Amino acid sequence: MKGKYLHINLATALVKSLRQRGGHVQVEYPVRRGQRPPAVDILAQVAGLLLAIEIECSVRRIPNDLMKVEALRPDMGLIVMPNARLALAARSVVRRLKNDYPFATATIQVMTFGAALQWVANNCPVKSVPQVAGDI
Amino acid sequence: MNNYERYDKFFERWDLARAHGAANDRLGRKLQRGLALLPNDTLMRSLAETRIRYLEQQLKAGRIAPFAQARMLDGELVIGQDLHGSPIHIMLDWLCSGLFTVANTGSGKSNLAYWLVSQLAWLACSTWLIEPYKIQFRLLLPLYQRASKPLIILPWQNWRWNLLQCEGCDPRSHATNAADLLVRTLNMPGRAAVILRQGIHVLYTRYSIWDGGTTRFPTLFHLYEWVRSQKDLNTAGREAILDRLGSFLTLLTPACAAWTRGWTPQDLARHSIVFEMRGAAESIRTLLPQSLLFSVFHSRITSGLMNGPLELLLVIDDAQRIFLDSATVEGGITPLDEALGIVRGAGIGVWPIVQTTIGFSRRARANLAMRTFGRLGTHEDLAVMAADCGLNEEQQAYILHHLLPGTFVGQMGLGAYTHPFVFRVPLAKFPGGVSDVEVQMSQAPLRELPTEFADEFAKWSPHMSVEVTAPAKESVSALGETELRLLRAVVANPGKPISFYCQETRLSGKRLAEIRDRLTKQGYIRKHSVAQNPRGRTAIIIEPLAPAIAAVQANPGNDL
């Protein structure tokens, strides 16, 4: 996985949480074909949703994240920031770029790391038995 | 027989036909023997006449070269095939008298060299192949390996070279010739030669060379430093030496030329070596091979000329620059030209391969007894080589249009047959390429030779340099026991909030926060503010940095 210490730590914790809930998780998923395509940090298929998750430690790369979500067209884009101060700044950046990326800004949610973990816990139920159609 | 010959010139015509291979097969040989016994036999004459007429017709039509078939049937080496496909042999020892090849680009000179050198792999003779531009002779390595004979591939950067090393030859003549070589190659004024000779003399005294010292020799770097230290020398000569020798030594690098004891020509002569000069500056490309040839010639001459068998063949591809038609500083004959004339008895063969005779030393050409030439580009070359090889007008007209790539005209100054002849060289094919690892491994025999590097010139520069270093930093031992306890806990469990480490280190939160801030300032750890829960205050998690890991490794403890 790319990034520095904090980025890797947060991404690892999120991947672990998603996999525990039976999600199909891909890390550093490229948004298009080519030699060096941009990639989202986590692409997860969980609870019938396709999630594109980006972990950011500053607001500098938020426009890139919006571009990636615009390209991938997931059900939901999630930008995870380490703390509330950065999350607030990120939300304002997303709002500012509403006209440039209409789909992404409508789909994307900005959360702190704790809130993202909580969201995953709330929206993705733990599956211990596979759901198989048939007689009960 | 004589009466008949007087009228019909039958035997003259038969001799001409024989020169073109009419008596090479079984019937031809029988006819030759029969006509010698019964010259007037009608049947044999008519049979011979058939062959003579056929060859005369072919000659008139221009389908047969106007060259007699070379009668060179004995010798260790095959130089090529004649136009009828028969091999032409030369003796190995003939190469002591020198071989000269001239042909323009793409006419098969290198192929001819491969062809002869590949045969030398199986003979008791070392070969030095000097390549100023290409790196093709290294392809001979698998062939030599098959012949169980090591072939060393030596790029010029790996050479341990010392121009002033005069082991095995007279220091006086060596000093004079080395100074002359430097002045001619680096285009210095005449006064510089005198200064250089004086410098070499002083350095030889300092290194006890005049007293017979043969273990350590001054290098060109010592010579440069001596000239720099002598402020009262002739200014023009001194400045010229400092400029030109300085830039030359910068190009050459100390790794190549700062050896107080380098490889001697006597040591090198025991091995077959490919000297690759690719990528070298022009001055290096000229000076290094010339100094090598000059040293090896003089060491052989000093050890005595005995007319022995060939021990070393020097193949010099693109030799135009090495055998330049130039004079010494005083206007005399160059040492190389002079040496070339007397090395014949020393068991050394020289084979310069050039593209044109224009600018090639005429003195050198005079001492190369065997000559071959292929397709030539100028009338001057053609006239010179035709005259040197003794071609008649008909032969000159033929070669003007018939020398295809791989076809050469040869004339040997030795042996019983000294007429010019035409020969073809088969196209040599070599398996695959040679990797850099194989090149490095091939140099193993040379690395075992005794050498000594001049360490004082390891970081030499023509300009004075001063090395400024900062005082050594304080060691990590300034850390106290409590700091180390926190660092050990952080390295063992990274990325946890401070409350976790309170339990681990059994320290209070306030005290730990102080230590944390101090270690953050010192660059041991980094703090990150992360909201680990959806509500409440953000946690400060700690990332251990490389100094912290090093400090813990240096002070391992088991108090946790």
Side-chain angles (χ1 to χ4, degrees), chain B residues 527-542:
Chain B
K527 294 188 294 182
H528 298 286
S529 166
V530 178
Q532 290 194 317
N533 293 306
R535 290 183 185 176
R537 288 196 303 179
T538 56
I540 296 174
I541 67 164
I542 299 176

Side-chain angles (χ1 to χ4, degrees), chain A residues 5-6 10 82-83 112-115 118, chain B residues 494-495 528-532 534 543:
Chain A
Y5 178 82
L6 188 62
L10 300 188
N83 53 49
T112 60
F113 173 64
Q118 189 67 57
Chain B
H528 298 286
S529 166
V530 178
Q532 290 194 317
E543 175 194 352

Side-chain angles (χ1 to χ4, degrees), chain B residues 88-105:
Chain B
I88 300 174
H89 293 259
I90 57 169
M91 304 290 283
L92 180 64
D93 292 346
W94 290 0
L95 290 173
C96 285
S97 301
L99 175 60
F100 176 56
T101 298
V102 54
N104 65 10
T105 180

